[in-house]
Amino acid sequence: MQFPFLLAPFVLAGSIAAKQCLNITVPVSISARNGVFNIPTLQGNSDATTFAQNLTSIRGNFTQEALLDYATVTGEYNISVKFCKPDVENGTNPTVQVLTHGLGFDKTYWDLPFNNYNYSYIDVAVDHYGFCTLSIDRLGEGNSSKADPLSVLQAPAEMSALYELTMMLRNGTLPDVPQAFSKVVHVGHSFGAGLSYLLAAMYPTASDGLILTGFSQNGSFLAPTVASWDSKLARLNQPLRFGNISYAALSEAFSTLGVSASNLTKISDGLAKFNITIGEIQQALQTTDLGDLLAGSHPSQLPHMADLPTGYLTWVDAGSNQYAFLLPKYYDPSILQFAESSKFPYTLGELLTIGSAPKMAPMFKGPVQILTGRQDAIYCGGDCLATGDPALASIPAKSKMAFPLARTFEAYIQPDTAHAINLHYNSTAAFNVIQRFLTREGLGSS
């Protein structure tokens, strides 16, 4: 179906992509039953460590220990989305994929601005298979409205925003996209997959199909993951992106040393006088939190999430990033530095409610595909095929029991891939697996 009313405001994304995309700010009203937690306001990085120690302790369920009550959270927020469609549409019944990112990312996870967009999920879905997509910045992340990181930014509230966006797509009320979609599928990664699963459990007719990537229902490995992150206050870890230090102030500070904040050559030369090699300096900048301290030091890297409250956290450095998300030898080393310098925070409320979804989505009747990297550390402990049960093909395959009415269930294990599927060399192979599954299930654009 042609969208003549949309052509004027659309712009091409990427240098060779044929998709047409529009960035939109969407007002939503949320209503959710959130937890009320007895967690004191974090004052510094030591408090973040204490929180992680409590959360990962085997002595009990810290979420339950800290839970005082439940409260209905309501509010008006803006959600930043990007709607993409094929440059030329031949059908009359397009399918839209709603793309929800996980912790540590924003919506660019699906259209990664790295290496000329060669890792773009949206390029494959839209240009090669004719889908429309709606990638979202989750509530509290990216260009979406910020909110209290403990009382508001929890899984139920974020799912409420996802539901509202879904209904707008179905009803044709999404701003600047006057099209009612009869086929809406949800594609999520990690925490975003959990939100998509929660949506299907609570509103089983809201979605026509589920794609859950970087996902299983085995929470055994979440504690070591959180421990490996060595969480810090986001505003202290990357103060230029998440704190209240301005680029102008940094430039002024560097100018007193006779150097530019965006050109650290003179600093490197100075350190070299102390018998520190350029290679060692580069390693320090790339693999320790010194690099995070300088993230955003170039004007082009300036953020949109300044002066965050202390309940926004992030992992400590590139090493923690690699441990949780990437498989050595199977990703471009420079993508790790890109991912670390452009990472996004997670919140206390998200960590406390990451396992809050019900065990089953008993009334969901659409097709379900779980696609997880074989070497996923967060949900498979590093090997999704190590089930210990000859009758169980993979750890994600056990989730079939959660969808008793699903018309199709498939657990696909992507080889040579860790948790952040979209950042690996073979990411496009995974993208094609997803599109073919949806097409086989009658959910392609037509």
Side-chain angles (χ1 to χ4, degrees):
M1 180 176 183
Q2 297 293 331
F3 291 76
F5 40 78
L6 296 178
L7 293 182
F10 274 89
V11 294
L12 291 178
S15 60
I16 61 173
K19 64 182 185 290
Q20 296 185 25
C21 297
L22 178 65
N23 291 308
I24 314 168
T25 299
V26 183
V28 299
S29 300
I30 69 163
S31 179
R33 183 174 181 261
N34 272 13
V36 178
F37 293 104
N38 181 25
I39 303 292
T41 301
L42 305 188
Q43 301 297 325
N45 283 333
S46 179
D47 292 339
T49 300
T50 299
F51 173 79
Q53 287 176 298
N54 290 329
L55 188 67
T56 59
S57 173
I58 64 171
R59 73 172 184 271
N61 186 326
F62 182 65
T63 296
Q64 290 299 318
E65 292 175 10
L67 181 66
L68 298 177
D69 202 350
Y70 292 94
T72 299
V73 173
T74 61
E76 304 289 325
Y77 297 95
N78 290 327
I79 302 298
S80 176
V81 306
K82 182 165 75 171
F83 178 81
C84 295
K85 74 179 198 69
D87 186 34
V88 177
E89 291 212 73
N90 298 317
T92 59
N93 188 20
T95 300
V96 61
Q97 298 185 22
V98 182
L99 311 177
T100 308
H101 63 87
L103 302 186
F105 298 94
D106 71 344
K107 63 178 176 289
T108 61
Y109 176 79
W110 305 103
D111 198 25
L112 205 66
F114 178 83
N115 194 18
N116 199 29
Y117 291 84
N118 283 342
Y119 295 77
S120 173
Y121 176 92
I122 293 177
D123 276 0
V124 174
V126 176
D127 295 340
H128 299 176
Y129 290 86
F131 288 97
C132 296
T133 62
L134 186 79
S135 52
I136 72 172
D137 280 340
R138 289 185 290 102
L139 175 62
E141 293 293 336
N143 284 316
S144 291
S145 295
K146 310 307 171 285
D148 187 281
L150 178 61
S151 63
V152 176
L153 295 179
Q154 302 177 19
E158 295 184 37
M159 189 280 293
S160 176
L162 178 61
Y163 173 78
E164 294 301 322
L165 292 169
T166 301
M167 291 301 101
M168 291 180 189
L169 287 169
R170 289 202 177 278
N171 298 331
T173 56
L174 189 77
D176 298 322
V177 185
Q179 162 75 24
F181 291 88
S182 62
K183 294 183 292 184
V184 182
V185 300
H186 290 81
V187 183
H189 174 249
S190 193
F191 188 79
L195 296 181
S196 301
Y197 170 84
L198 182 59
L199 177 77
M202 295 188 65
Y203 304 100
T205 62
S207 184
D208 295 296
L210 285 181
I211 306 293
L212 310 177
T213 72
F215 179 84
S216 82
Q217 290 177 287
N218 188 329
S220 303
F221 314 107
L222 289 175
T225 297
V226 172
S228 76
W229 285 348
D230 189 16
S231 295
K232 308 299 180 187
L233 305 190
R235 62 181 293 115
L236 297 181
N237 181 256
Q238 291 194 355
L240 285 167
R241 297 185 66 226
F242 306 133
N244 58 1
I245 299 177
S246 69
Y247 176 75
L250 181 73
S251 297
E252 182 178 353
F254 273 111
S255 68
T256 64
L257 301 174
V259 297
S260 166
S262 60
N263 183 352
L264 301 180
T265 302
K266 291 187 177 181
I267 292 180
S268 298
D269 291 344
L271 290 174
K273 295 178 182 179
F274 296 95
N275 294 321
I276 302 175
T277 68
I278 296 299
E280 289 172 332
I281 295 170
Q282 290 175 335
Q283 279 290 305
L285 290 174
Q286 293 174 357
T287 63
T288 72
D289 54 0
L290 178 60
D292 286 285
L293 189 66
L294 297 175
S297 60
H298 192 278
S300 66
Q301 300 173 326
L302 290 180
H304 32 253
M305 292 192 71
D307 203 15
L308 292 179
T310 59
Y312 277 88
L313 307 175
T314 187
W315 53 78
V316 62
D317 58 24
S320 295
N321 195 329
Q322 175 188 315
Y323 182 91
F325 294 99
L326 296 168
L327 180 63
K329 299 181 181 180
Y330 294 97
Y331 66 89
D332 184 334
S334 60
I335 208 171
L336 172 59
Q337 312 312 323
F338 170 84
E340 182 62 18
S341 64
S342 60
K343 66 184 178 181
F344 282 83
Y346 43 89
T347 72
L348 295 176
E350 289 168 341
L351 292 178
L352 287 165
T353 59
I354 198 169
S356 63
K359 293 183 179 180
M360 298 180 65
M363 301 306 295
F364 183 73
K365 298 181 180 180
V368 178
Q369 182 189 64
I370 298 178
L371 189 150
T372 300
R374 176 174 176 174
Q375 289 81 9
D376 190 305
I378 297 179
Y379 284 108
C380 292
D383 189 353
C384 284
L385 300 184
T387 65
D389 180 358
L392 184 62
S394 69
I395 293 173
K398 192 172 183 179
S399 291
K400 183 177 183 179
M401 297 183 296
F403 300 97
L405 297 185
R407 75 166 185 252
T408 304
F409 177 89
E410 175 180 290
Y412 180 85
I413 306 304
Q414 175 73 0
D416 301 328
T417 302
H419 187 66
I421 296 166
N422 294 19
L423 276 63
H424 287 78
Y425 283 133
N426 62 353
S427 60
T428 54
F431 303 162
N432 281 288
V433 168
I434 293 170
Q435 314 316 313
R436 290 195 292 264
F437 175 83
L438 292 173
T439 301
R440 287 197 308 270
E441 291 299 318
L443 290 175
S445 292
S446 58

